[in-house]
Every structure is written in structure tokens, then in C-alpha cells.
Amino acid sequence: MGKLKIVGGDRLQGEVSVSGAKNAVLPIMAACLLTSEPCTIYPVPALQDVLVMRDLLEFLGARVELCAGQMRIEARDVVPQEVSQDLMRRLRASNLVLGPLLSRFHWARIAYPGGCDIGSRPMDLHLKGLAAMGAEIGDSHGFISAQCARLQPADIQLDFPSVGATENLMMAAVLAEGTTIIRNVAKEPEIVDLQNFLNSIGARVRGAGLDTIRVDGVNQTGGVVHQLIPDRIEAGTHLVAAAITQGEVVVRDIIPEHVEAMLAKLREAGIGLEVYADAVRVTGRGRPRPVDIKTLPYPGFPTDMQPQMVSLLALADGTSTVTENIFEKRFKYVDELRRMGAEIKVEGRMAVIIGVDHLSGAVVQATDLRAAAGLVLAGLAAENTTVVEDTAHLDRGYERLDAKYNSLGANIARLP
Ligand code: UD1
């Protein structure tokens, strides 16, 4: 699973660029199943999750070429077939092939997906929406099957603004008959990127970024060259990396409005921020002030930045609280931070973080992708050496994070 050895204590200094967004590229790769024409996506981040999605598309019969951050996907010869547990459990977002397969081929059968162990991740909202569009859904023995004639117009109200359900239903509606309305949708920037991609291949989708999305079904789709948005969670992680090491870093290729909730909390914590059109300069100045955070769907504070912020607040000059409202098991990494000297109590969905004046290096285990990032950040700030085990989690979602931080003056080595 890989390990990182981090000799902490160096202030990060310099410039770092943000890669293409993981949570944009995965749904857009799935959306390529909606067309027989070739599509090119860039800049595709070199992530394990992207390679798993590529394997899944190839298994279904798509041709995928990846070269220097450009991915060309041609789904002309796709033949829908049962996707086994082996493939599906390697990636949560693998469930995003369901909507496009059903829309174009009217049949899909997939095993339940895997992904990070951060809490229960049902698919009921995806399936209720597809059923409302006329799909016949089977859900047994760990497999989901769906079939239909052509998907029908529907007016769907999501009980919760789920990112995955919004994306799956948007894609399902592209080749459906008539107009599909999806209400109480997720408003994440990656949904807007997916809408832009879909419209470029000939779909008629509007409303992404707002509460309601309307999709007018079309009969034909084409190809496109599409540029992905930058990864706002990677960007946020760099902001915290600079703050926690009391460094000074310019984070480039960032869309500041996508990270507004993080900027607001960092500002409140007393971190120096200068915001430009596509860059942010971060200056860490002594111990951060304590802040209270509640994770929420976008534009609220993202759950995917929760562990990184907890690492920062572990060093705050006072007591902070962080309430996790999206995934109920997302505090599993806290025991690892405690090994480094952090004082954190978890009560249900809330962590109470009593800031300490230093963390000390220890051997810690990454329990999921963002927990891994949080532990790396803690290791950068800690005294002496930290070894983060199971860093395969990190490579699922960050492109060369160790190399990026070493270029800013960190001392991180990969151990076998
Ligand atoms: C996406 C992101 C992930 C992020 C999450 C929340 C991708 C590839 N992944 O995951 O990084 O942490 O959004 O911002 O974009 N839920 C249900 N029923 C459903 C679907 C979801 O109850 O049918 C619940 C989940 O249990 C969870 C909440 O909704 O509590 C959020 O899940 P969702 O927004 O669907 O997250 P993902 O799309 O899986």
C-alpha cells in the first residue's frame, strides 16, 4: 500500500499548480459512453482512480488512449455487459456508468461500487430517479440491474443534493424522450463542468449550479475536446499546507470562487490570503486562531477538506469544533492524529479540537483518501519524522502530492 516518510518542520515556499479535477474527470469519462464519437479531455490528472475508470470503460469496449494528460475516449464499439464486483469495488464513482449505459443502450448491470470507507454510501436516490424515468430496476445479490425501452420524461425531487445521483440522472436524461426535471440537485462546480461537457457533445442541459436541472432529451450526440476545471480540493489542500507550515505559497491554476468556503475559514483562522484571478498567495503567520466548521453540500464547506482542516486546527491557539454532516464515519483518522499529540474528542458527528502548540512525528495509518492528505499535512508541521502508511489512498486522488511539496521545500520520501 506504500508509505511516505516525512521529516517535518520545513516552511513551504514557492509556487504550486493545481491539476485537473478528479471529481470532474470521473463523471465526464463516464459521460463519454453517451456518444459513439471520439472525445478528448485534458488536463487529465495522473490518478489511480482515473486509471480504474479507464479500465472500466475499456472493459465495456471503449477505446481509451492517455498521453501527456490528454485522454481520448471512443465509445463506438461499447457493448453493455455485467460489470463485476472486482472492477466496481475499486472505485466509488464507477457507479456513474449506470446512467449513460441506460440512456444509450437501455440496459445495464453493475455490482455495487466500492471506494473510501467513510460512511454508508447507498444508491437509493440514483435508483429512485431512474425508476421515475421508467427504468425497471433490480437490486439483489450485490448487483443493480436496470433496463428500459427509451427513458421517459420525469419530474424528480432528490431527497438530498447527492453529487453522484445528480450526475447519474443528468447523464441518463441526455438521450431520454422529452424533458427531465431534477430538483434539489447538487450544485458543485463539477456538476457545471459535466453540464458544459454534455452540451458540447450535443445534449441540452441547463440549470447546473442552481437548484433545478432541466434536460431536453436529444436523439444524437457527437464528439468534443473538453478542458477540465482545476481540482478545488487539491487547491484547498495546498492552501492548508502553506498555512500549517507557516510558509508562503502561491497556489496557481485555482478558481478562487470554487474555494470560497475554504478561504473564508482560513481568513477567520488568521491565515494571510491574497486572492488573484487564478491564483491565491497564502501566508501562514504563527498559530492559527480556532474556528468552528460545519461540512455541507456546495457552496458550504466541503467534507473532502475536513481532515486537512482538522490537522490545521489541531495546532490552533484555542478550541475549535468541526461538525461532519455528509459522511458519518469520516473521523476515523482522528486516532492517528492523536498519536502525533493532537487533542481531539469526537462526539457523534462533532470533533472538538483543543489546539496544542506542536505535533510530534509518529507512524500513522491513512484510512482513506482525504484522511491521508490530512496526515501528510500534519506530518509536514510535526517535529521529527512521521511515517504515513497506506498512502495508496493518497495516489487515488492527488497527482504527485509528495513531489509537489518537495518542490516547495518539504522533505518527503516514498518508502516501499
Ligand atoms: C461525491 C464526491 C466525493 C465527495 C461527495 C460529497 C465524486 C467522484 N465524489 O461523492 O469526493 O465527498 O460527493 O461532496 O464526485 N446518499 C444517499 N443516497 C444516494 C446517494 C447519496 O443517501 O443515493 C448520501 C450519502 O450516503 C452521503 C451523501 O448522500 O451521506 C452525499 O453523497 P454524494 O453527494 O452522493 O457523494 P458521492 O457522489 O458519492
Side-chain angles (χ1 to χ4, degrees):
M1 288 285 275
K3 293 177 190 171
L4 290 181
K5 181 178 152 203
I6 305 165
V7 182
D10 293 310
R11 298 177 66 220
L12 297 195
Q13 277 176 312
E15 295 190 3
V16 64
S17 287
V18 178
S19 304
K22 167 177 99 69
N23 288 351
V25 70
L26 296 172
I28 289 174
M29 287 174 74
C32 290
L33 292 169
L34 285 165
T35 175
S36 59
E37 297 297 319
C39 296
T40 300
I41 318 166
Y42 74 97
V44 172
L47 305 175
Q48 201 51 39
D49 275 7
V50 167
L51 299 181
V52 175
M53 186 60 110
R54 179 193 63 183
D55 290 351
L56 173 52
L57 296 183
E58 285 181 339
F59 168 80
L60 290 166
R63 287 185 52 189
V64 185
E65 287 160 25
L66 177 57
C67 182
Q70 291 230 354
M71 181 177 273
R72 184 180 185 277
I73 301 176
E74 187 176 333
R76 183 191 311 271
D77 301 324
V78 165
V79 181
Q81 52 189 310
E82 178 178 299
V83 186
S84 72
Q85 220 169 33
D86 268 3
L87 255 175
M88 292 296 296
R89 70 191 321 171
R90 287 164 62 199
L91 172 67
R92 165 74 189 172
S94 55
N95 64 359
L96 295 175
V97 300
L98 188 61
L101 284 177
L102 200 56
S103 195
R104 180 164 159 213
F105 301 101
H106 307 154
W107 186 89
R109 183 169 161 81
I110 60 170
Y112 260 95
C116 279
D117 182 17
I118 53 179
S120 132
R121 298 179 89 171
M123 283 190 60
D124 55 317
L125 304 176
H126 306 233
L127 302 182
K128 259 165 77 178
L130 294 173
M133 296 170 77
E136 206 177 292
I137 306 286
D139 182 357
S140 61
H141 307 294
F143 277 84
I144 297 162
S145 344
Q147 59 182 346
C148 54
R150 189 177 177 190
L151 288 169
Q152 294 301 305
D155 192 330
I156 300 162
Q157 170 83 26
L158 294 180
D159 297 336
F160 180 87
S162 150
V163 173
T166 302
E167 292 169 342
N168 237 338
L169 296 174
M170 272 166 89
M171 294 190 281
V174 165
L175 294 166
E177 182 122 42
T179 299
T180 306
I181 301 173
I182 318 166
R183 301 179 196 273
N184 192 30
V185 291
K187 298 196 269 276
E188 270 69 357
E190 294 77 21
I191 309 269
V192 178
D193 206 21
L194 177 62
Q195 169 177 281
N196 291 340
F197 172 86
L198 292 173
N199 287 340
S200 309
I201 65 168
R204 295 179 58 199
V205 187
R206 65 212 137 98
L210 305 172
D211 287 316
T212 301
I213 289 177
R214 285 182 170 72
V215 186
D216 297 325
V218 297
N219 294 321
Q220 238 190 333
T221 43
V224 71
V225 176
H226 179 83
Q227 181 175 6
L228 296 163
I229 56 170
D231 195 306
R232 65 197 163 91
I233 304 300
E234 184 199 330
T237 305
H238 298 333
L239 298 176
V240 177
I244 203 170
T245 62
Q246 301 188 19
E248 181 167 351
V249 172
V250 177
V251 182
R252 296 208 171 276
D253 298 326
I254 187 171
I255 299 179
E257 73 169 355
H258 289 177
V259 294
E260 194 45 59
M262 309 172 215
L263 293 176
K265 283 297 163 188
L266 289 172
R267 231 176 251 125
E268 214 180 307
I271 309 303
L273 295 169
E274 286 168 45
V275 179
Y276 304 96
D278 62 354
V280 175
R281 180 188 298 274
V282 199
T283 314
R285 306 181 187 123
R287 289 176 71 184
R289 287 198 289 267
V291 294
D292 296 324
I293 295 178
K294 290 185 170 64
T295 64
L296 287 170
Y298 189 87
F301 192 91
T303 175
D304 285 353
M305 276 300 297
Q306 183 254 96
Q308 302 89 316
M309 278 306 277
V310 168
S311 289
L312 178 68
L313 296 176
L315 286 163
D317 191 8
T319 300
S320 309
T321 62
V322 173
T323 308
E324 173 56 56
N325 289 312
I326 310 294
F327 293 114
E328 73 276 10
K329 282 204 282 175
R330 213 163 197 178
F331 284 127
K332 282 168 73 180
Y333 66 89
V334 160
D335 285 342
E336 305 302 306
L337 271 184
R338 283 201 198 102
R339 285 176 202 273
M340 301 177 73
E343 276 191 42
I344 306 175
K345 290 182 210 147
V346 178
E347 288 158 15
R349 285 183 173 264
M350 189 199 277
V352 179
I353 305 147
I354 302 153
V356 293
D357 65 3
H358 72 282
L359 294 173
S360 41
V363 177
V364 291
Q365 200 170 12
T367 47
D368 65 72
L369 164 58
R370 305 302 171 184
L375 292 172
V376 168
L377 298 184
L380 289 175
E383 290 172 353
N384 302 321
T385 302
T386 296
V387 174
V388 183
E389 296 183 335
D390 290 353
T391 45
H393 289 299
L394 197 70
D395 299 326
R396 284 192 35 224
Y398 289 92
E399 186 172 53
R400 300 177 295 107
L401 195 66
D402 48 334
K404 286 190 181 185
Y405 289 167
N406 283 343
S407 78
L408 297 173
N411 184 343
I412 308 180
R414 276 195 183 239
L415 304 178

